[in-house]
């Protein structure tokens, strides 16, 4: 197969940052906070680049939807080996309400426009944990989907996907074109080192507006409130094993 | 410092500095240690020794990449996957 792979990458708050809720409970603090590529998106990019290195696909295009800063995320994908990038400009209120439905409409439109054979996305983003974009994109395009992929093998014009499901692994074979979502054990993403980032500066990032793709960004969802999770109860210290058993009995645990 | 090696050393320093931004103990801590390590060898003139030191630097790069990957992998595994019974 000598097709084109579209990889969606999302700019999220870095996984190691301690999240703080805004005092007005409308969201989390993002200003001045370190952002990076969603870890599952990194795995998606790595898989796409691996396919290209094996000469199973001919081009990897990295896509990100968001404000100007999303270009940094695309640059990271380019440094990992993507050939070119597409930045779908979404900012302001549209960006606040941007969710899986809107992104999947954008991905579907781009897949048609770019004549993509495979779309690879991360299984979910670590900020909203929706786990919906891949599935919705496949539905909008009426393509088969291989979600929670922990192993992907191209076999002629079909794809064999090993999926991580509750209770074990499921192997399926789907036709192309198809949508895949990457799970944690799919691969080990390469690090975008400085020399690669320098080389990637020559690669092009196209700028597109959702309206150019005929996509309506209105959301039917409204965030009412964002709160911290309940505080963990302080632990109790006991002196002996008997004390421990006694306390557990008191709490009705034993 | 021998000329072609000078470029290599500077590139190594820049790459390590870039990697150090994500160091768990902080970028400033890393930068201080990095500078100290490089300054310690600044008067080295033997090309063979310099090549060895650069190789050691490359090894450190690989170790840092592995560290960062493991940290992220373990964090994701802990957050998204049930602990093994």
């Amino acid at each position: 197969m000598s097709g084109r792979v579209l990889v969606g990458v999302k700019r999220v708050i870095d996984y190691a940052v301690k999240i703080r809720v805004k005092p007005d409970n409308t969201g989390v603090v993002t200003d001045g906070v370190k952002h990076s590529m969603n870890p599952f998106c990194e795995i998606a990019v790595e898989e796409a680049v691996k396919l290209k290195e094996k000469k199973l696909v001919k081009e990897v295009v990295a896509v990100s939807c968001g404000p100007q800063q999303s270009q940094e995320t695309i640059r990271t994908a380019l440094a990992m080996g993507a050939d070119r990038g597409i930045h779908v400009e979404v900012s302001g209120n549209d960006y606040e309400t941007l969710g899986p439905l809107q992104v999947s409409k954008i991905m579907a439109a781009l897949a048609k426009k770019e004549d993509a054979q495979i779309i690879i996305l991360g299984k979910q983003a670590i900020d909203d944990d929706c786990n919906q974009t891949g599935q919705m994109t496949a539905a909008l395009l009426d393509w088969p989907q291989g979600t929670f992929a922990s192993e992907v093998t191209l076999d002629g014009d079909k794809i064999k996907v090993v999926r991580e499901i509750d209770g074990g692994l499921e192997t399926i074979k789907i036709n192309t074109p198809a949508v895949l979502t990457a799970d944690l054990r799919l691969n080990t993403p390469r690090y975008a080192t400085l020399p690669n980032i320098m080389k990637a500066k020559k690669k092009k990032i196209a700028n597109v507006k959702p309206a150019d793709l005929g996509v309506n960004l209105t959301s039917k969802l409204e965030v009412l409130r964002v709160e911290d999770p309940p505080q963990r109860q302080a632990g109790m210290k006991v002196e002996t094993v008997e004390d421990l058993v006694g306390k557990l009995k008191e709490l009705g645990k034993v | 410092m021998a000329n072609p090696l000078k470029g290599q050393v500077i590139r190594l320093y820049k790459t390590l500095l870039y990697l150090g931004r994500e160091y768990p103990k902080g970028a400033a801590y890393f930068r201080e240690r990095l500078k100290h390590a490089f300054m310690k060898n600044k008067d080295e003139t033997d090309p063979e020794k310099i090549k060895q030191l650069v190789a050691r630097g490359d090894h450190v790069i690989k170790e840092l990449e592995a560290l960062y990957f493991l940290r992220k992998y373990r964090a994701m595994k802990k957050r998204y996957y049930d602990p093994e019974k």
Side-chain angles (χ1 to χ4, degrees):
Chain A
M1 179 200 312
S2 53
R4 182 173 289 126
V5 182
L6 228 58
V7 184
V9 294
K10 186 178 181 186
R11 178 176 181 263
V12 299
I13 296 179
D14 189 81
Y15 83 98
V17 167
K18 181 150 172 43
I19 307 292
R20 284 180 307 137
V21 176
K22 282 197 226 169
D24 60 5
N25 290 106
T26 55
V28 299
V29 178
T30 54
D31 283 339
V33 174
K34 181 172 184 215
H35 283 65
S36 49
M37 191 191 293
N38 181 39
F40 294 107
C41 296
E42 289 177 349
I43 300 174
V45 174
E46 176 65 27
E47 196 61 21
V49 172
K50 271 199 164 76
L51 287 175
K52 198 184 85 157
E53 286 171 346
K54 288 187 205 156
K55 300 213 194 313
L56 295 169
V57 298
K58 72 169 194 290
E59 194 187 31
V60 176
V61 183
V63 180
S64 192
C65 307
Q68 271 299 99
Q69 297 94 322
S70 294
Q71 293 201 8
E72 292 164 19
T73 314
I74 300 177
R75 290 247 167 258
T76 307
L78 294 173
M80 286 173 72
D83 297 295
R84 58 185 167 91
I86 300 178
H87 173 216
V88 182
E89 236 185 288
V90 180
S91 49
N93 200 44
D94 280 339
Y95 183 58
E96 302 286 313
T97 57
L98 192 71
L101 184 58
Q102 292 74 27
V103 174
S104 56
K105 286 182 186 171
I106 293 172
M107 291 303 295
L110 279 172
K112 292 197 189 119
K113 182 162 178 262
E114 299 286 331
D115 191 23
Q117 267 62 55
I118 307 176
I119 299 179
I120 312 183
L121 304 173
K123 73 164 181 175
Q124 69 198 78
I126 60 172
D127 54 5
D128 56 25
D129 285 319
C130 286
N131 194 327
Q132 297 167 348
T133 311
Q135 291 84 342
M136 284 178 172
T137 309
L140 288 169
L141 288 165
D142 198 24
W143 287 7
Q145 56 188 262
T147 53
F148 308 100
S150 67
E151 199 183 302
V152 168
T153 321
L154 264 57
D155 185 9
D157 60 352
K158 296 198 199 292
I159 308 181
K160 189 180 92 170
V161 183
V162 178
R163 307 179 57 230
E164 288 204 29
I165 59 173
D166 294 344
L169 299 171
E170 178 192 57
T171 308
I172 61 172
K173 204 169 215 175
I174 55 178
N175 293 328
T176 52
V179 176
L180 306 172
T181 70
D183 210 321
L184 189 64
R185 282 165 271 255
L186 180 57
N187 59 48
T188 304
R190 65 198 67 189
Y191 204 84
T193 54
L194 196 59
N196 289 339
I197 293 179
M198 289 294 138
K199 273 185 243 164
K201 287 199 168 161
K202 297 188 197 128
K203 298 182 185 174
K204 287 197 180 6
I205 300 183
N207 218 299
V208 175
K209 298 214 173 34
D212 299 341
L213 299 168
V215 171
N216 182 349
L217 290 180
T218 42
S219 171
K220 297 196 177 124
L221 300 174
E222 183 195 336
V223 173
L224 298 176
R225 191 178 163 83
V226 176
E227 310 185 338
D228 277 301
Q231 297 287 26
R232 247 184 58 168
Q233 298 285 28
M236 286 179 281
K237 275 194 171 166
V238 292
E239 294 292 305
T240 68
V241 174
E242 282 82 10
D243 283 353
L244 176 62
V245 175
K247 274 268 183 305
L248 286 171
K249 281 194 176 147
E250 253 177 68
L251 293 167
K253 302 270 186 201
V254 173
Chain B
M1 224 190 303
N3 262 327
L5 291 175
K6 183 171 181 177
Q8 260 190 3
V9 173
I10 293 179
R11 250 176 286 136
L12 178 67
Y13 187 82
K14 281 187 185 169
T15 305
L16 280 166
L17 195 57
Y18 181 79
L19 267 178
R21 296 181 322 170
E22 259 187 81
Y23 197 67
K25 280 192 168 160
Y29 174 96
F30 184 89
R31 199 179 62 237
E32 210 186 291
R33 293 253 169 333
L34 175 68
K35 188 149 186 220
H36 181 79
F38 270 66
M39 282 297 144
K40 220 172 51 175
N41 297 307
K42 74 173 158 96
D43 294 320
E44 188 60 63
T45 48
D46 176 11
E48 275 314 306
K49 279 234 78 193
I50 294 177
K51 283 199 189 119
Q52 268 177 17
L53 291 167
V54 168
R56 200 200 297 173
D58 286 333
H59 183 74
V60 171
I61 290 175
K62 288 201 168 53
E63 287 193 330
L64 281 171
E65 290 179 1
L67 168 71
Y68 294 162
F69 167 71
L70 275 174
R71 269 180 89 220
K72 192 178 285 191
Y73 178 85
R74 284 184 184 143
M76 292 299 114
K77 186 157 180 251
K78 194 167 165 208
R79 287 181 203 174
Y80 289 102
Y81 299 86
D82 283 327
E84 251 114 86
K85 298 207 166 69

